[in-house]
Amino acid sequence: MPPTALLTKGLPTVKPHNPSDRFDDTWRAPLATLLGLGRAAGADFIEFFLERTNYINCLAEDDAITSISPRLSTGAGVRVFRGKADCYVSTNDLSFDGLKAALEKGLAIMGLSLPGSNAYIPDINLEITRDYAQTNHKEGWLADCSSMREMSDVLLAANDCLNQKANHVQSRRAAYFRDWQEVLVAASDGVFARDIRLTQSVGYSLLCADGEHRSSISQRIGDSSNPSFLRDWNYDRTAEEVSEAAGTMLYADYVESGQYPIIMANSFGGVIFHEACGHLLETTQIERETTPFIDKKGQKIAHENLTAWDEGRSDREFGTLDMDDEGMPTQRTLLIENGILKNFISDRAGSMRTGHPRTGSGRRQSYTYAAASRMRNTYIAPGEYEVDDLFASVEKGIYCKKMGGGSVGPTGEFNFGVDEAYLIENGKVTKPLKGAILIGEATEIMNKISMCSKDVELAPGFCGSVSGSVYVTVGQPHIKVDSITVGGR
């Protein structure tokens, strides 16, 4: 079919949509025209990402609501590729002229310009809309979420419950947020896909003090698809867990620094794998040559008992998506199998520049960021051992029950605090310990994870990288690390 001749003055127009509007099929013709303009200008590939969000967070401190912060935003980004080079321009003007101006800026950065008024514009045949919002019945999610009044009532009741269960309370915080997002992706390879995402999280932070003794425990849960998430929260049970941990750690002895075997609990214990290894398997690291695993595909990089996945399909987890932010359907990616590196985590640009296949992992915080290779639900797979087998194998070591914050260097060096730890003696958990800091390096620790139990659990998290902060899941079963440096007193 021959290309269509278009005059600039005859190009279609799109008025800015109101916040109550949706990204429907009326966007097809103008976006296809803009994509054709970009191709006619000499770009090899163009992608538009349209987004609108409705976000709110609520904070209760002790017996008062101290903050309610809503945020609405609407905007779009255009990415222009020429060869393997690319640039990204964003705008909050969703009129045809506004999107065209953003495209023109992107083309100019790449040394290109829009065609003249009598140029031939290629016909971009966008696919029939892949509308995950309609297919998976997401249109009513926002209206079904908790109101501001309900948020306040639940958090105040939760804080009161925590006060009743905990002793020596210094401060109590209960925090909730809801992030609703609608996205539309249109690209010059024919992609035309829409989705709605709903991410929510709620949790406690408790500080206890008795004289010189201090303990601080936090716990958070999250969900990616349930409008009733907050009203379904069993805050009584969470308060019980947080209060018990804070009371136990209040009078704990400080750990003695040294080399120890450790047992690391399941669930949020997986944050170390996420930080110390997962980031090093993203193609952004390969492009920068900042990962020790750059040429290790098909080789052994971990203990033969370790298998790990990154995927976007687990029900209601923080990193679960029907499609990534480049319009690619989500999938499961086997990262490590029995210690052998099988795959990297790749977006479009990463695949183009490194040769590793795309994995549905192009993610971004918002329309102001270009997508990049990012983790989704990343976890160590279940092993063959019972939890008791792991403890029985340790004569003297440390049980890391609840992980805290930490930092990771660009090539995998890490240190992580442990909020709740216990001494292991002759295979038994004995006294509580505080002040433990795990210090290590990714390539070393991966080969020392010698035992994995069967009890995988996942936990919500937040991950910051080149494309902003995104929602992710970390996880693992209980694992044994044969030896690691533990900082303490």
Side-chain angles (χ1 to χ4, degrees):
M1 186 173 182
T4 305
L6 287 178
L7 296 177
T8 301
K9 64 181 182 181
L11 295 178
T13 60
V14 177
K15 295 180 180 179
H17 279 42
N18 295 320
S20 60
D21 290 339
R22 58 195 289 271
F23 294 139
D24 57 24
D25 207 55
T26 62
W27 290 88
R28 175 187 301 276
L31 289 174
T33 298
L34 290 168
L35 293 168
L37 280 170
R39 292 287 285 123
D44 293 314
F45 180 82
I46 308 99
E47 174 198 83
F48 280 91
F49 177 83
L50 278 62
E51 176 200 42
R52 61 191 184 105
T53 61
N54 186 316
Y55 175 93
I56 190 168
N57 66 56
C58 185
L59 173 64
E61 296 182 284
D62 297 325
D63 298 313
I65 299 296
T66 58
S67 173
I68 296 180
S69 303
R71 184 180 72 244
L72 302 175
S73 67
T74 303
V78 56
R79 196 169 191 178
V80 178
F81 283 84
R82 189 180 187 186
K84 293 184 178 181
D86 72 285
C87 71
Y88 190 76
V89 177
S90 64
T91 178
N92 57 11
D93 182 353
L94 295 192
S95 68
F96 183 85
D97 288 341
L99 296 175
K100 182 168 168 282
L103 172 63
E104 189 170 12
K105 289 179 182 178
L107 292 170
I109 292 170
M110 303 306 294
L112 303 171
S113 59
L114 289 173
S117 59
N118 292 312
Y120 285 95
I121 310 301
D123 187 17
I124 304 298
N125 293 312
L126 297 176
E127 64 179 314
I128 297 173
T129 310
R130 277 186 289 120
D131 194 335
Y132 296 100
Q134 280 198 324
T135 301
N136 295 327
H137 313 293
K138 304 178 183 182
E139 301 288 359
W141 277 0
L142 182 58
D144 292 339
C145 287
S146 296
S147 65
M148 283 191 287
R149 170 57 63 186
E150 186 174 22
M151 294 175 204
S152 301
D153 289 345
V154 170
L155 294 186
L156 288 173
N159 253 5
D160 181 64
C161 179
L162 187 61
N163 192 45
Q164 295 179 39
K165 294 180 180 295
N167 297 314
H168 305 290
V169 175
Q170 189 81 5
S171 68
R172 297 164 284 133
R173 292 161 59 100
Y176 163 79
F177 77 80
R178 180 213 69 218
D179 192 357
W180 178 95
Q181 178 195 46
E182 181 189 13
V183 301
L184 179 69
V185 179
S188 57
D189 62 354
V191 167
F192 193 67
R194 172 181 179 260
D195 197 13
I196 286 176
R197 290 89 175 259
L198 176 64
T199 309
Q200 298 175 89
S201 180
V202 68
Y204 280 127
S205 294
L206 175 64
L207 174 63
C208 295
D210 183 16
E212 64 181 12
H213 301 286
R214 298 283 189 278
S215 66
S216 177
I217 296 291
S218 298
Q219 188 163 320
R220 177 171 290 279
I221 60 173
D223 184 277
S224 67
S225 63
N226 177 21
S228 297
F229 166 74
L230 181 62
R231 61 183 68 102
D232 293 343
W233 177 36
N234 188 341
Y235 56 77
D236 184 87
R237 182 175 63 189
T238 307
E240 188 75 40
E241 295 170 356
V242 170
S243 299
E244 181 180 353
T248 299
M249 298 309 297
L250 184 59
Y251 304 106
D253 292 333
Y254 282 94
V255 67
E256 293 183 9
S257 60
Q259 289 282 329
Y260 294 91
I262 66 168
I263 305 298
M264 193 176 299
N266 56 2
S267 189
F268 198 69
V271 68
I272 286 190
F273 179 81
H274 170 102
E275 295 287 3
C277 184
H279 276 297
L280 299 179
L281 301 182
E282 294 169 340
T283 51
T284 51
Q285 300 288 331
I286 298 177
E287 292 178 53
R288 298 173 178 177
E289 299 184 352
T290 54
T291 170
F293 305 129
I294 188 169
D295 57 353
K296 296 295 192 291
K297 187 172 181 179
Q299 299 182 33
K300 184 176 181 295
I301 66 166
H303 195 282
E304 55 269 20
N305 286 334
L306 189 144
T307 293
W309 291 86
D310 178 82
E311 47 87 2
R313 301 182 65 87
S314 292
D315 186 39
R316 294 171 61 171
E317 297 298 338
F318 242 35
T320 293
L321 301 163
D322 281 318
M323 71 176 197
D324 72 0
D325 290 330
E326 298 177 320
M328 182 175 178
T330 193
Q331 63 182 57
R332 287 168 53 85
T333 303
L334 179 62
L335 300 177
I336 300 170
E337 184 177 34
N338 300 325
I340 306 298
L341 176 59
K342 292 293 186 178
N343 290 289
F344 289 93
I345 297 166
S346 183
D347 63 324
R348 181 186 297 279
S351 178
M352 183 184 302
R353 293 167 185 154
T354 68
H356 294 291
R358 292 171 67 191
T359 54
S361 306
R363 304 189 64 196
R364 64 187 99 198
Q365 177 179 330
S366 71
Y367 73 90
T368 61
Y369 293 86
S373 55
R374 304 293 298 275
M375 285 174 276
R376 299 162 296 181
N377 304 315
T378 311
Y379 51 86
I380 296 174
E384 60 184 18
Y385 296 96
E386 302 296 336
V387 175
D388 289 345
D389 296 334
L390 276 64
F391 285 97
S393 70
V394 177
E395 183 176 344
K396 183 178 181 180
I398 296 175
Y399 174 39
C400 302
K401 185 176 181 180
K402 185 182 292 291
M403 298 302 299
S407 62
V408 181
T411 57
E413 304 88 352
F414 64 85
N415 63 80
F416 276 91
V418 185
D419 285 348
E420 186 179 357
Y422 298 85
L423 184 65
I424 303 172
E425 296 177 291
N426 299 317
K428 303 295 183 181
V429 173
T430 56
K431 66 177 184 178
L433 299 170
K434 61 185 175 184
I437 300 175
L438 306 183
I439 303 168
E441 193 271 331
T443 55
E444 179 183 2
I445 193 175
M446 289 300 105
N447 284 285
K448 292 183 176 181
I449 301 175
S450 61
M451 300 176 74
C452 300
S453 65
K454 302 174 183 178
D455 61 337
V456 171
E457 287 188 11
L458 306 180
F462 309 89
C463 177
S465 187
V466 293
S467 60
S469 178
V470 299
Y471 303 119
V472 297
T473 297
V474 300
Q476 63 180 31
H478 279 74
I479 64 171
K480 178 188 177 184
V481 181
D482 290 334
S483 177
I484 193 171
T485 300
V486 179
R489 286 190 173 181

